[in-house]
Amino acid sequence: MNKKKILFCITDSGGGHRSVANSIKDHIGDSYEIKIINIYVDVFKTKGEILYNKLILEKCFTRLYWPILVPYLKLNLNLRRRKLIKQLSGVWKQENPDLIISLMPFVNALVATSIKRTIPHCQFWICMTDMINPENSAGYWFCNCDRLLVPTQKAFEQAQSSDYHFSDINLLNGIIINKKYVYHKCNKKLNDFPQNKIVISFGKYCSIKRVGSLTKLISLNFPTKTIIVLCGTNNKLK
């Protein structure tokens, strides 16, 4: 009996999207045939991730992201819409999956359109993995799909009040992370720390100066809490 096939749509701008895909894959085990596809590299054949990782992750030029990189990305996707949908359709036709799960923002409308045109039998799910700010999640994540998985109550409420059609909306307990992330190369598991703790996680994009200022602000507001700061990068968690 052939296994059902699941495709995960990810980007390697950072490592979180692939890490989530691998976490779900490890949890599912061998029950399904699973393939992870980097949409920008494997399908669109673009080098935008190199620019993002260079400017945001290596140089920490985070102030360029919203005013410059995001508008440029959205404009580029809109101008190349027909070509990108054709490229996506070619991949879906070749892979013929039963379920496609997007773990990335910006491209979901293109993915949904290409699925409907090429393999209408295939289910399309969206699982939010970052950019959860309720003011921008609709424009960057949402589109018509079979299932939407959101990590916060605000995102859930916004999805319910949006003009998009979701066959089902599921509220998760939070953002999915790699289970190794909690205790990898750590002297103690987080459960061993005092119960009145606040765990703050920063990606590599966050400069040391910003980590320090935000941590100080939180400690001033919660003086009785034990604050655990996780920052930097670790390629073993991807």
Side-chain angles (χ1 to χ4, degrees):
M1 183 177 179
N2 293 331
K3 295 180 181 179
K4 296 285 188 179
K5 189 172 187 178
I6 302 175
L7 296 187
F8 288 105
C9 300
I10 62 115
T11 170
D12 283 310
S13 50
H17 307 281
R18 185 176 292 276
S19 181
V20 170
N22 284 326
S23 296
I24 299 174
K25 181 180 178 181
D26 291 343
H27 181 74
I28 292 175
D30 298 327
S31 304
Y32 298 88
E33 180 184 352
I34 296 175
K35 187 170 183 178
I36 300 173
I37 295 178
N38 182 319
I39 294 297
Y40 293 129
V41 175
D42 301 331
V43 183
F44 296 164
K45 310 298 182 184
T46 62
K47 298 181 179 180
E49 288 182 351
I50 297 176
L51 177 64
Y52 173 91
N53 289 332
K54 190 73 175 178
L55 293 177
I56 305 301
L57 300 188
E58 293 184 23
K59 301 298 184 181
C60 295
F61 293 157
T62 55
R63 292 185 179 181
L64 297 177
Y65 186 67
W66 293 110
I68 297 176
L69 293 183
V70 170
Y72 170 78
L73 173 61
K74 295 184 72 175
L75 177 63
N76 185 270
L77 292 175
N78 286 332
L79 292 176
R80 301 174 61 214
R81 187 174 187 276
R82 283 189 177 184
K83 181 180 180 180
L84 299 180
I85 290 175
K86 185 177 181 180
Q87 289 175 310
L88 288 166
S89 297
V91 174
W92 309 151
K93 190 177 294 185
Q94 180 180 347
E95 297 291 343
N96 193 28
D98 299 284
L99 170 63
I100 294 176
I101 303 177
S102 173
L103 302 172
M104 58 184 291
F106 298 114
V107 302
N108 292 324
L110 300 176
V111 173
T113 300
S114 61
I115 291 173
K116 187 175 181 180
R117 292 182 181 180
T118 313
I119 47 172
H121 66 276
C122 178
Q123 288 249 321
F124 178 44
W125 297 6
I126 298 172
C127 177
M128 298 178 70
T129 55
D130 63 3
M131 295 170 58
I132 311 302
N133 186 333
E135 295 178 0
N136 61 36
S137 56
Y140 303 149
W141 279 99
F142 296 171
C143 72
N144 296 335
C145 65
D146 296 293
R147 176 167 293 183
L148 176 68
L149 299 101
V150 298
T152 65
Q153 181 64 36
K154 288 184 178 180
F156 181 81
E157 293 170 356
Q158 187 182 45
Q160 286 186 314
S161 62
S162 73
D163 295 329
Y164 298 103
H165 172 73
F166 312 107
S167 300
D168 198 5
I169 307 174
N170 297 110
L171 177 60
L172 307 177
N173 291 329
I175 296 175
I176 300 172
I177 62 172
N178 192 313
K179 62 182 180 181
K180 292 183 286 187
Y181 181 48
V182 178
Y183 52 83
H184 183 76
K185 286 189 176 180
C186 185
N187 291 329
K188 292 184 178 182
K189 293 183 179 181
L190 293 184
N191 289 335
D192 295 333
F193 284 94
Q195 291 301 309
N196 61 335
K197 61 180 177 287
I198 297 176
V199 180
I200 314 168
S201 176
F202 296 99
K204 185 181 176 182
Y205 69 88
C206 202
S207 66
I208 294 298
K209 183 177 180 180
R210 191 177 181 192
V211 169
S213 61
L214 290 174
T215 303
K216 182 177 180 180
L217 179 63
I218 293 173
S219 66
L220 290 174
N221 283 275
F222 301 94
T224 63
K225 300 287 186 179
T226 297
I227 299 177
I228 304 165
V229 180
L230 308 176
C231 57
T233 185
N234 189 330
N235 290 331
K236 292 183 180 181
L237 300 179
K238 292 184 179 180

